[in-house]
Amino acid sequence: MQTLRRTVAILTFPAIAWLGAACERDTPTEARPGGMALSVSGDLTDALSTDLGQSYQVILSCTDGHSVILWVGSATLTSLAADVEAINASDTGVSCTLDSTALDPSSQTPAWTVYDYNPSNNALAPRNAPNKMPATTTGTTTTFDFLPEKFTALLTTTDRSLTGDLSAKTLIDVISLRGSATTFMTQHNGGASCSSNFPATVRFYFVSPSASGSTVGKPPAGFYTQFWWSNPEHQELNSGTQGGPIIANVGNPAEWSDWNGQRPTPDNPEVATAFEKAIHNVQTVGLSFGGLCFFETGVTAEYPSDMPPPYEVFSSTFSEETP
């Protein structure tokens, strides 16, 4: 595969304010510790103009604590690049990277994939090789291990039988934990009141690249409404042995919020319109791991200091029902 990385800007910012993204708050409440330099892989208009039929795998990472992965065509990728450039040129202190790889359609797998934050904790890395301990699926049940000192962010699938038009679907996931972990924690104060790394949580998450639109908040970016988290539906992760269901109605706007923490309510018409399009055109669906305040900061298991493998096992039995 050919990697497309054209850097148009490199911006360095001090500690930045987090957005209320996919969060139970509507305004920034917390600063991410430490500054960082991030590049925007962009200048894509010229690069894509001669390759309009190409599809791309994109990793979009921002200093507001999000890193997501999606698959897009050239037009959507160009739009994303414009959004990222606008954010990086803003005075909000938020910056993003957009890394894209030309994709062979046959290489996109519908299997469930678990994603961890990489060692820099700025972007996602999939466990897609046997030595990385990937997720394993049998029937409707998928399991993976919480690895020591790794923050797990997502467990998702692009299976066409589980994506597409989910507007009339109810998502159900019976989760269970078994193992030796003493507790679980998120990072960057994603837990209660944006001031703690506890409790950790798991909740539903879906992606719809076609649902780009206006959104409320700063900086403005059309891609905010492409990403949705179940809010308030979630389950806390508190002990090494626990379980129970998470249930969310996809078509109920009261149960979801977007990247920027915005709800698709009647008094938020632009977001509501984008949500309606999103639920009819879902590309990726699954689970997101974070806290009560920030929903995708990742979760790690804490083990006794003298505890060897096997590690804590997370089990997800996912289904969709039509009421």
Side-chain angles (χ1 to χ4, degrees), residues 97-177:
T97 63
L98 185 66
D99 290 333
S100 58
T101 303
L103 184 67
D104 177 355
S106 64
S107 67
Q108 185 176 345
T109 173
W112 288 84
T113 302
V114 60
Y115 296 88
D116 303 317
Y117 280 101
N118 63 20
S120 68
N121 289 328
N122 294 334
L124 294 181
R127 297 192 208 170
N128 54 6
N131 64 346
K132 293 184 178 180
M133 301 180 70
T136 59
T137 301
T138 303
T140 59
T141 299
T142 300
T143 61
F144 69 86
D145 292 356
F146 277 106
L147 303 180
E149 300 179 0
K150 287 279 190 180
F151 284 91
T152 296
L154 297 171
L155 175 67
T156 62
T157 184
T158 57
D159 190 329
R160 290 188 177 183
S161 69
L162 297 173
T163 53
D165 187 353
L166 301 187
S167 59
K169 298 290 187 180
T170 296
L171 307 184
I172 303 170
D173 203 321
V174 179
I175 73 163
S176 67
L177 293 161

Side-chain angles (χ1 to χ4, degrees), residues 159-208:
D159 190 329
R160 290 188 177 183
S161 69
L162 297 173
T163 53
D165 187 353
L166 301 187
S167 59
K169 298 290 187 180
T170 296
L171 307 184
I172 303 170
D173 203 321
V174 179
I175 73 163
S176 67
L177 293 161
R178 65 181 188 274
S180 57
T182 57
T183 189
F184 299 84
M185 63 177 291
T186 183
Q187 58 179 344
H188 307 308
N189 289 329
S193 301
C194 302
S195 60
S196 170
N197 283 322
F198 301 93
T201 68
V202 57
R203 67 187 69 236
F204 290 116
Y205 163 80
F206 70 86
V207 179
S208 179

